[in-house]
Amino acid sequence: MKALVLSGGSGTRLRPITHSFAKQLVPIANKPVLCYALEAIADAGISDVGIVVGDTAAEIMKAIGDGSAFGLRVTYIRQPHPLGLAHAVYIAREFLGQDDFVMYLGDNFVLGGIKELVAEFRRDRPAARILLTEVENPSLFGVAELDNAGNVVRLEEKPKVPSSPLALVGVYLFTPAVHEAVTEIKPSARGELEITDAIQWLIDEGHSVRPLIITGYWKDTGNVTDMLEANRAVLESAERRIDGKVDDASEVIGRVHIDEDARVRNSRIVGPVSIGPGTTITGSYLGPFTSVARDCRIENSEIEYSIVLPEASITGVGRIEASLIGRQVEVTSSAHTPSAHRFLLGDHSKVQIPS
C-alpha cells in the first residue's frame, strides 16, 4: 500500500502568510502540519509516499527531503496547476501503479492518526473508503448524502445548498479502481477534476464505497481559526519539558515545552506552551495554547492562544491573542504622540484594533 499526499495549492485563506510560505509548512505546536500527516502515514505501516507539489515545491522538498527522517521513501510529483484532487490522482498514476493507496491532504490534521483505518481497509478492500464528519458550514467542503442504511448515495463538491451536514475529511483510501474513475469524469464548473465526482462514478458503476463517520478531532487547517484550534489540540496533550534556560525571576506553570538554547528571563509562562530553540522571552507573559517558533524575540509583551512563526520580534505590546504572526515579522509599540496606530501590511492582511 502507498500514500499520496497533496501539498500543492495556493493557500488563499491563509494569506498573507502563504504569499511566501507553503500552507502545509505552517507549524502546529512548532511542527509543520505536513509532518503530522507523514508521521501518521508511517505509523500506519506505509513506507512509499508520493507528495504532489506545485508552486511551493522547493520549500516542501527542502523541509521533507527524501523522507528518511520519517522512515519513508518520498517521490515528488509535480502538478503544474491546482486542477483538483482527482487530477492529482491522475498525474500520480505511474507512481501508484496497481497498489491500494491512502490519499491525505497535506493541510489536514487528524488527531490520533490513521493506523486502525488503514488496517481495516487492508482487510476489507472496498473500492473506496471515505471519512465523514458533521460540520456547521458544509457548503465549504465536499458533502456526502447517506441513505437510511448508512450507504453513500450522492456526493457534491462545495454545494450551495448542502443535502447533509456531513463533510468529507481530507483522508481517502482507494483501490486501483479509482484510476478508471478519474479518467471518466469531466472538469466541474470550477474547472477542476473533483474527487467527489470520481467517487460518485464508483458508486454509479456499482463499486463498494464505504463511509465512516468520525467524531474524533479533525481540522482542515486552511484558515487561521482552524490553525489555532489545531495548535490548541496538540498542545493539550504536550508534556512538560524544560531544555532551555529559565532564570530564577521567571515562573513556568503547567505543560510547557522549552527547547534547547531558548531563554526565559523575568517572565511568566502558563502552559500549555511551546517555545522553539534560540528564542528569547524577556519580561513577558505567554498564556495557554501559544507556540513560539525558533529564533524569536519577545520582550515586555503578553501573548495568548497564538502561533508565532520563526524569527519574529514582538516588543512592548500590551496583549496579543488569537493571532498568527508570520516569519520575521516585527510588532512594536510606539512611544510617540498623538496616540495612533501605524501599519505596514501586505496584501490580504487582517487587523483588528479597538475602536
Side-chain angles (χ1 to χ4, degrees):
M1 192 169 185
K2 293 176 179 174
L4 187 66
V5 178
L6 275 56
S7 296
S10 55
T12 55
R13 291 180 293 160
L14 277 174
R15 288 178 178 171
I17 299 293
T18 49
H19 277 310
S20 59
F21 198 43
K23 62 178 179 178
Q24 297 84 8
L25 297 181
V26 176
I28 292 175
N30 285 337
K31 181 164 62 178
V33 62
L34 176 59
C35 293
Y36 291 96
L38 296 177
E39 289 173 351
I41 288 165
D43 185 57
I46 299 171
S47 56
D48 286 324
V49 179
I51 301 183
V52 177
V53 293
D55 291 342
T56 58
E59 278 188 283
I60 298 291
M61 294 170 72
K62 181 179 179 181
I64 304 304
D66 63 2
S68 58
F70 303 90
L72 303 172
R73 294 185 296 272
V74 168
T75 299
Y76 292 97
I77 302 163
R78 188 64 185 256
Q79 187 181 33
H81 303 286
L83 298 177
L85 304 188
H87 181 261
V89 175
Y90 178 79
I91 65 171
R93 175 67 183 270
E94 182 178 348
F95 164 76
L96 295 169
Q98 290 301 305
D99 293 313
D100 296 346
F101 67 98
V102 56
M103 183 170 75
Y104 203 125
L105 306 193
D107 60 351
N108 274 229
F109 179 79
V110 180
L111 191 63
I114 59 172
K115 186 175 183 178
E116 292 182 8
L117 178 70
V118 169
E120 182 184 88
F121 181 82
R122 281 174 158 158
R123 183 182 67 244
D124 300 336
R125 292 195 74 237
R129 180 70 144 160
I130 60 175
L131 305 187
L132 306 173
T133 191
E134 287 196 16
V135 297
E136 295 181 357
N137 49 351
S139 61
L140 299 178
F141 303 93
V143 172
E145 180 182 350
L146 308 183
D147 63 19
N148 292 333
N151 300 310
V152 183
V153 294
R154 189 161 63 101
L155 297 104
E156 292 183 274
E157 187 64 31
K158 297 180 175 63
K160 292 183 179 179
V161 183
S163 58
S164 89
L166 295 173
L168 277 81
V169 173
V171 178
Y172 310 77
L173 297 103
F174 295 111
T175 68
V178 74
H179 295 302
E180 184 178 3
V182 300
T183 60
E184 291 292 331
I185 62 174
K186 304 298 181 185
S188 66
R190 302 193 304 161
E192 298 186 4
L193 290 178
E194 310 286 4
I195 199 65
T196 45
D197 290 343
I199 299 170
Q200 185 68 53
W201 186 93
L202 290 172
I203 295 170
D204 295 342
E205 293 297 315
H207 293 278
S208 174
V209 174
R210 296 186 186 176
L212 175 65
I213 298 177
I214 65 171
T215 56
Y217 191 86
W218 163 77
K219 281 294 179 185
D220 171 2
T221 61
N223 61 53
V224 173
T225 299
D226 288 338
M227 285 293 308
L228 294 173
E229 273 295 293
N231 192 63
R232 178 194 60 77
V234 174
L235 289 177
E236 277 189 332
S237 60
E239 296 182 358
R240 181 182 174 95
R241 190 171 119 192
I242 311 297
D243 294 330
K245 296 181 179 179
V246 180
D247 70 6
D248 293 338
S250 297
E251 183 179 20
V252 177
I253 301 170
R255 299 189 305 277
V256 175
H257 184 167
I258 303 177
D259 273 328
E260 191 174 358
D261 295 330
R263 296 185 177 184
V264 177
R265 302 167 178 151
N266 192 31
S267 297
R268 188 167 190 257
I269 315 295
V270 179
V273 165
S274 178
I275 300 173
T279 286
T280 300
I281 312 294
T282 305
S284 296
Y285 166 76
L286 266 60
F289 310 120
T290 299
S291 61
V292 182
R294 60 172 177 83
D295 300 321
C296 292
R297 182 171 61 91
I298 299 177
E299 297 180 0
N300 303 319
S301 300
E302 297 183 12
I303 307 176
E304 188 168 310
Y305 190 62
S306 294
I307 298 173
V308 182
L309 271 60
E311 301 178 45
S313 173
I314 300 171
T315 306
V317 179
R319 185 170 180 85
I320 294 174
E321 62 182 26
S323 298
L324 176 59
I325 309 295
R327 296 179 299 176
Q328 300 180 336
V329 164
E330 295 182 8
V331 183
T332 62
S333 63
S334 173
H336 302 292
T337 55
S339 177
H341 302 288
R342 185 177 181 181
F343 304 111
L344 176 60
L345 302 174
D347 295 349
H348 307 284
S349 294
K350 293 181 180 179
V351 177
Q352 292 182 336
I353 57 176
S355 57

